[in-house]
Structures are given as C-alpha cells and as structure tokens.
Amino acid sequence: MLDPFGDKAKRLVKEEFGGITELLSIIPSYVGIEQALERVSWVKSGEVPRDVLDMGDVQDLLTFYALLGALAFSPYGIEMELVKEANSKIYSERLRRAGRISGTAVELRTVREGDIPPRDRTILERTHHHELPPDERERLRLRYKVHLGKFLELWEGSLKEVYLRKGHAYLTTEQALRLWEKSFEKNFERAVNLLYEVRDELPGYYLQLYERLGEIAREYFKERLERMGSAEAQPLRFELFPPCVKIALGGVPSGLRNYAITVLLTSFLSYARLCPSPSRRDVRIRDCVSDLSVVEKEILPVIIEAGNRCSPPLFEDQPHEVKNIWYHLGFGLTDRPTLEDSGNSTWYFPPNCSKIRANAPQLCKPDRHCRNIKNPLTYYLRRLYIVGRKGKEEENVEGGGDG
Ligand code: SF4
C-alpha cells in the first residue's frame, strides 16, 4: 500500500470490510497486539524493517488501522506523534522505492512534454549544464504537477521554491514527497479525530494497544519528556482555547448561562487542566489529582468569574449553582466536597461540537483551527501539540532534538 488514505485504500475499506467501523471491529481477530506494534517498534533504529516495507495491502491496512484505533484514546499525545512519524516514514520509503509517486491522496500528475516552456526548463532544470552528474540532474527535474488549490492547502514552504504556471505547481520528486507528507499528516489527524468520537465503543484490544504504544513512545521521546515534563497535565493556556470556550469565559446572556458555564466551561476547564487525555469515560478527579487544591485555586475561580461576567451574574442570581458545578465535576450535589466525594456523580466530559451547535449555537463561532474538530477538548489538545511541536523544531534548529 502506498497511501492508506489514497483511493485504493478507501475502496478496500469500503468494499472488502464494509466501512471503518466494521474494519475496526474485525481487526482484533486478525492482528495481534505485537504484530501491530511492529509498525512502530523500529523507530529508534531509524530504519524501517524490510518485512514492514514488503507487507501486503490488506495486512498493511489492518495493522495501520489497528494503531489508529488505539490513538482514539488520546489524540495529540506522544503516542500519536510516534505512530504518525513511524508510518509517515514507512509510506514515504515505499514511495521512494516505487520510483514514482502515484495512487496517493494528493492528486499529482506526471509532467508532460510541452507543459513547461523549453526556456523555463533550461533555467529550472539547468539542462545546459552538461557537467552535472545524473543524480543531480534527476534531483532538479520537475516531474509532477498538482492543481494550485490543492498545493496551497498543503504546502508550508516558501512559494519562491516552486515553479507555478497556469493554475498548477510543478514539483521535483523531493517537493512532491514533502507535499505528500503534509497530506498524510492532515488525513491522519482527521482520522484520529473521527475515531475519538467512537472510542467508547471500541473493543478493549485498542486500549491495550494504546497502553503498549505509550510505553514505546515514552522510551522514544524520553529526553524530551525529561526536559519538558509530561504533556499530560499542565497549567491552562487560555490563548489556545477554542472560540466557544472563550465566548463562555467572557460571560453570556441569561438564556445561555447554565449551558455555557455549568455544562461547557466546567467540563472543559477541568479535563483540560487535570486529565486532558482520559483513557476511559468513567475517570474520576481523584484518579488524576491527590488533593483538591488545583480545582479550588485554578479551576473554580475561573468558572465563578466567568459566571459573574454573565448578565445577570450567574452565581449572584442562582447561588445554588455552585453545587451544580461540583455535581458536574463528579462530587455529587455539595458545596463542601472532599476528594473522597469524587465519583459520587459523573464527571461530565465536554460536549461534542455537534451538541454545542444544537443546544447553544451562539457559542459556536468556528475559527480556522476548528476544521475537522469534533470536540472542544481536542481543539485545545491539537493546538497544544502544534505549539509544542514548533518549540521542538526551534530546539532542533539550535542543535537539540531527540528521537
Ligand atoms: S467548532 Fe467546536 S470547538 Fe470550534 S467553536 Fe464550534 S463548538 Fe467550539
């Protein structure tokens, strides 16, 4: 398989297995946990094993989707980074070996005679420089073209690096591979986001696989984790919150108050601060902290202040609503909870975007980061991940880096 998100893979998933849900339900019977892990366990060596490269299409799809299913438990964690990095290498290595990039999710077409005026070719490919060795000549050759719209959607480099003509971008093999990598990354995130919605329905197999991935990822990213501390729970980054949460924080009119403050803000802030990637839905606050000080000092005051910014102020108007906040945090209906009370009621998980749009459409004012996002918490985790990755890239430029 040359691209697990290409047309061939899509056809296989649909025609052979009946769709993604069906595929995920049969995978545990066909793919052992160790077998799925073979796709990532080589990363430290930097070299993709030959049997992984030579895997047949169906086996490739099953083992790849086994890993995707496991990531539904924690999108944007180090497990995702590990799986994405390893699999991007596997597929790009296969594309290199194939010698031709085709059948991928990026609609690349081969450049034909006459597409590029000879004068431009002479300059760009340096065709008159007969002293150039053949591999250098090959490196300069513009072999692929892609529609400009698709290109701009994916390309992160400078436009000056690329030859643009009549609505197309013309690319060398390396540039085409870079574009494919971006497309892989986007499709990968999209798939993990979609699976996040169905994670409660996934067989226990995926949770086991996720835990094993965590072990490999912690080992692989050891240096970074030691330098930066765990990405699990960390102080809130308000600037990375989704628009709906920012609107709730600013205070809302009376008809929206209870939903914005008690349902959305309380669940979002508590999970984002205490347990950003819960591996199960019935997690309790006492599973994540050893005392209530973070809740009392960092979460509750933010909720109370946002409530007081509402018109009329929520907690002045309805003082008993504080009990309801504790109830939504899982402590039962109380205003003097202890850690042991955690679990007396359900710790409400942030509602999905579709629910927010249905119940409080005024809160959903999507920005560009909301694309493909299904839950405000994944929006936040994604932005944290991107900011963290940028930090890592800067560190690498300065000579640091790991993995
Ligand atoms: S799309 Fe989702 S995350 Fe974005 S503003 Fe709407 S509800 Fe919030």
Side-chain angles (χ1 to χ4, degrees):
M1 180 75 54
L2 292 177
D3 186 340
F5 302 112
D7 284 346
K8 188 174 176 191
K10 278 189 202 153
R11 262 201 315 278
L12 257 178
V13 170
K14 203 161 171 231
E15 288 164 15
E16 295 288 322
F17 302 102
I20 294 285
T21 322
E22 292 76 4
L23 175 67
L24 289 172
S25 66
I26 64 134
I27 282 174
S29 326
Y30 287 91
V31 182
I33 296 222
E34 295 307 321
Q35 221 179 338
L37 291 172
E38 278 169 21
R39 294 189 77 100
V40 295
S41 47
W42 56 269
V43 281
K44 240 184 154 177
S45 74
E47 202 166 318
V48 189
R50 183 156 281 273
D51 49 348
V52 172
L53 285 176
D54 293 340
M55 211 179 262
D57 284 352
V58 172
Q59 186 65 4
D60 188 67
L61 207 67
L62 291 171
T63 47
F64 178 72
Y65 270 89
L67 297 177
L68 277 190
L71 295 179
F73 291 98
S74 172
Y76 304 110
I78 51 172
E79 298 81 4
M80 176 176 115
E81 204 166 333
L82 170 82
V83 175
K84 192 164 69 174
E85 188 179 316
N87 285 280
S88 173
K89 280 188 187 153
I90 294 172
Y91 290 112
S92 54
E93 185 60 31
R94 287 191 192 149
L95 286 170
R96 273 177 214 281
R97 289 199 330 170
R100 227 182 118 238
I101 308 175
S102 64
T104 68
V106 190
E107 284 141 29
L108 289 168
R109 282 190 281 148
T110 310
V111 173
R112 281 182 313 200
E113 201 61 45
D115 279 346
I116 304 175
R119 206 174 61 95
D120 290 359
R121 241 194 219 286
T122 311
I123 300 168
L124 294 162
E125 296 183 350
R126 295 158 69 187
T127 43
H128 288 353
H129 289 248
H130 300 298
E131 76 286 3
L132 286 179
D135 54 343
E136 179 63 6
R137 200 172 287 290
E138 187 51 36
R139 201 181 61 77
L140 293 169
R141 212 165 136 218
L142 296 173
R143 293 187 68 181
Y144 301 98
K145 66 178 186 180
V146 58
H147 203 274
L148 200 53
K150 185 78 189 167
F151 172 77
L152 293 174
E153 206 182 280
L154 296 169
W155 187 252
E156 287 185 349
S158 157
L159 287 184
K160 284 188 199 148
E161 293 171 48
V162 179
Y163 177 65
L164 306 176
R165 181 180 154 80
K166 291 192 176 169
H168 286 88
Y170 289 76
L171 309 171
T172 63
T173 301
E174 278 312 308
Q175 289 172 329
L177 278 169
R178 265 167 72 190
L179 202 69
W180 172 81
E181 272 166 26
K182 278 289 143 210
S183 129
F184 176 79
E185 211 170 280
K186 283 205 164 178
N187 283 319
F188 188 92
E189 281 191 34
R190 193 174 296 154
V192 173
N193 268 298
L194 278 173
L195 296 179
Y196 185 72
E197 278 198 289
V198 297
R199 66 196 173 129
D200 286 347
E201 290 142 40
L202 292 175
Y205 164 93
Y206 292 100
L207 187 55
Q208 272 179 41
L209 183 52
Y210 165 69
E211 280 159 7
R212 294 290 310 280
L213 278 174
E215 288 165 19
I216 300 175
R218 278 191 293 279
E219 177 60 28
Y220 183 53
F221 296 116
K222 198 168 163 199
E223 282 176 36
R224 183 175 3 145
L225 291 175
E226 277 166 7
R227 267 202 314 275
M228 298 169 52
S230 163
E232 291 288 293
Q234 51 176 296
L236 293 167
R237 301 275 306 265
F238 287 73
E239 75 281 13
L240 305 179
F241 284 0
C244 48
V245 172
K246 285 186 178 160
I247 294 173
L249 277 172
V252 293
S254 62
L256 267 183
R257 288 181 317 178
N258 294 66
Y259 191 86
I261 306 298
T262 316
V263 177
L264 175 61
L265 203 56
T266 302
S267 58
F268 176 86
L269 292 175
S270 53
Y271 275 93
R273 176 65 184 90
L274 306 173
C275 189
S277 294
S279 51
R280 44 176 236 268
R281 281 278 167 111
D282 59 351
V283 67
R284 300 163 305 180
I285 283 188
R286 71 164 131 157
D287 299 325
C288 312
V289 292
S290 52
D291 67 72
L292 282 183
S293 60
V294 181
V295 182
E296 287 166 343
K297 287 183 194 149
E298 293 182 42
I299 297 172
L300 211 53
V302 181
I303 297 172
I304 304 276
E305 276 170 32
N308 287 340
R309 267 184 226 116
C310 294
S311 55
L314 177 64
F315 298 104
E316 281 174 23
D317 221 27
Q318 301 174 6
H320 62 275
E321 197 57 24
V322 174
K323 284 189 186 170
N324 211 2
I325 300 293
W326 284 111
Y327 182 82
H328 277 75
L329 291 171
F331 291 81
L333 216 48
T334 172
D335 51 8
R336 288 189 186 282
T338 62
L339 192 60
E340 287 63 45
D341 293 327
S342 148
N344 284 352
S345 52
T346 302
W347 180 12
Y348 279 76
F349 195 73
N352 282 343
C353 300
S354 53
K355 279 243 168 74
I356 298 174
R357 277 194 290 273
N359 292 324
Q362 304 91 319
L363 291 177
C364 179
K365 301 265 180 273
D367 65 12
R368 68 193 170 91
H369 301 286
C370 289
R371 231 174 132 206
N372 300 321
I373 289 291
K374 308 283 177 199
N375 186 289
L377 191 61
T378 37
Y379 173 108
Y380 179 57
L381 294 178
R382 178 171 186 273
R383 294 204 61 193
L384 275 178
Y385 166 75
I386 290 170
V387 168
R389 197 173 60 174
K390 279 197 184 133
K392 186 188 161 209
E393 277 161 14
E394 275 156 27
E395 267 176 43
N396 284 345
V397 169
E398 284 161 22
D402 63 324

